[in-house]
Amino acid sequence: MDIRSIDLNLLVLFDAMARLRSVSRAAEAIGLSQPATSAALARLRATFDDDLFVRAGAQMEPTPRAQALGPAVQRVVQAIQSEILQPAGFDPASAERSFTLLTPDIGEVAFLPGVLRRLRQEAPQVRLRALSMPRTAAAQALEAGEADLAVGFFPDLQKAGYFRQALFRTSYTCMACARNAAVPSRMTARQYLAARHIVVRPDGREHMLDRFLEDKGWHRHVTLELSHFMSLLSLLPGSDLVATVPDDIATVVQRHIAVKTVELPFKPPQLQVQQYWHRRMQNDASNRWLRGLFYEVNRRDANARLPDWQAAG
């Protein structure tokens, strides 16, 4: 017998007949009319070339063939109902799995402390792996399933095949060592461009501020280019350098070293920080839970700074 020739709905009828021993009660149980059930029973008998259920007094009793098939058919029907037809779920409290997050080091500082607090409370066995990679590689990783979520500024992911959700808008802050008397609290455009700048470009990324200044035809005097924002903690103190960084980084740096903020001679651009996922993960229960958690923890009102409660790990 070729499985392709079997109507699996007939197995549902078989299971109902084996349990209820009545055509009328089986019809009611599976939601068919009695004539339709009788017709389906005839097809079932033809499929197995056996009467399967025959009348004996007030009941339809199984033949030896039906008795032999009964346990296997019951297992198949129950497996389809419980393992195939049930919507996929995700229980964070009992889940033991790892999620991979794409974000630069600014994201690790800004997003993960609050998320880790929630994980300890709601999903103690869930593990996070944070990676930083170039924007083009981020798209490939999400598409291949090598990463579950990207959080930050990823303009390359604003395209077909990806979903995104806004978390907050932020801007830029210019800062310098608090003891640097040569840097005024407010700079002219000439002073800003002539200052000795540290520029941070994680994974070689160009920041929106770079494009903003280029569009103005302005070119900063870049003394040092870095790949990690956290290097500022050791490089700004005692130096004559200035750094123009996203607001969250400025907030974190101010919590660890003595810096002063410098009023910029222009209104800096705003960044839309979002989370992104590939369309094939749109209905995945675990991914839906993960991005819901990130949204609840990290969503902010307009222009809000990094909350104080995220300062500690």
Side-chain angles (χ1 to χ4, degrees):
M1 186 183 298
D2 190 338
I3 192 172
R4 292 173 295 180
S5 67
I6 299 176
D7 181 353
L8 294 181
N9 289 311
L10 296 179
L11 298 184
V12 177
L13 172 60
F14 183 107
D15 183 59
M17 287 293 298
R19 289 183 291 105
L20 302 173
R21 309 294 174 89
S22 166
V23 174
S24 60
R25 289 198 297 270
E28 183 179 356
I30 63 178
L32 290 178
S33 67
Q34 187 161 337
T37 303
S38 296
L41 180 57
R43 296 199 305 275
L44 187 61
R45 286 166 169 161
T47 298
F48 287 97
D49 192 23
D50 189 271
D51 286 339
L52 296 177
F53 300 95
V54 297
R55 184 165 297 283
Q59 293 196 133
M60 300 289 288
E61 294 293 340
T63 66
R65 174 72 166 145
Q67 287 179 323
L69 290 171
V73 171
Q74 184 182 47
R75 288 195 299 271
V76 169
V77 171
Q78 288 179 346
I80 292 174
Q81 290 175 336
S82 63
E83 299 178 26
I84 296 177
L85 298 183
Q86 288 296 317
F90 178 75
D91 179 16
S94 60
E96 296 185 19
R97 61 157 296 174
S98 175
F99 292 98
T100 298
L101 171 73
L102 303 182
T103 191
D105 64 339
I106 178 177
E108 296 176 3
V109 170
F111 307 135
L112 294 187
V115 169
L116 289 176
R117 284 183 173 83
R118 285 284 296 271
L119 289 182
R120 285 198 294 269
Q121 299 167 3
E122 301 174 20
Q125 302 304 315
V126 166
R127 304 175 302 281
L128 288 182
R129 179 173 178 244
L131 298 177
S132 178
M133 59 178 57
R135 289 171 182 160
T136 54
Q140 296 171 359
L142 289 172
E143 184 174 352
E146 297 169 356
D148 300 285
L149 200 64
V151 185
F153 180 60
F154 289 85
D156 294 346
L157 297 181
Q158 297 183 21
K159 60 182 180 179
Y162 293 87
F163 288 88
R164 64 182 184 270
Q165 184 178 35
L167 298 177
F168 57 89
R169 286 186 177 274
T170 188
S171 190
Y172 290 89
T173 297
C174 182
M175 58 186 180
C177 175
R179 301 190 302 275
N180 188 350
V183 175
S185 59
R186 180 176 183 178
M187 283 186 171
T188 65
R190 183 183 296 275
Q191 288 173 319
Y192 178 78
L193 297 177
R196 290 163 53 83
H197 290 263
I198 300 179
V199 174
V200 184
R201 297 189 178 99
D203 297 301
R205 294 183 181 189
E206 179 189 44
H207 268 286
M208 183 180 287
L209 182 64
D210 295 322
R211 296 197 301 272
F212 174 83
L213 294 175
E214 287 176 5
D215 290 343
K216 285 180 166 290
W218 291 1
H219 299 282
R220 292 176 289 179
H221 176 64
V222 178
T223 299
L224 178 62
E225 185 173 327
L226 301 173
S227 297
H228 302 284
F229 285 105
M230 291 300 95
S231 298
L232 295 172
L233 296 177
S234 60
L235 292 169
L236 274 180
S239 76
D240 61 349
L241 302 170
V242 299
T244 307
V245 298
D247 290 341
D248 280 355
I249 287 298
T251 300
V252 172
V253 170
Q254 289 167 341
R255 290 170 179 166
H256 291 84
I257 61 174
V259 296
K260 61 181 177 182
T261 58
V262 180
E263 185 177 342
L264 291 167
F266 53 85
K267 184 178 180 180
Q270 286 202 325
L271 293 166
Q272 179 70 71
V273 177
Q274 304 186 88
Q275 57 179 356
Y276 304 81
W277 61 96
H278 193 265
R279 66 181 180 184
R280 69 187 187 85
M281 304 303 291
Q282 169 68 2
N283 295 316
D284 179 76
S286 61
N287 191 277
R288 196 162 55 237
W289 170 81
L290 178 66
R291 61 186 189 252
L293 177 63
F294 264 83
Y295 182 79
E296 291 174 14
V297 171
N298 293 302
R299 179 181 175 274
R300 301 183 210 163
D301 295 330
N303 299 315
R305 292 260 180 158
L306 183 67
D308 288 340
W309 60 265
Q310 286 190 343

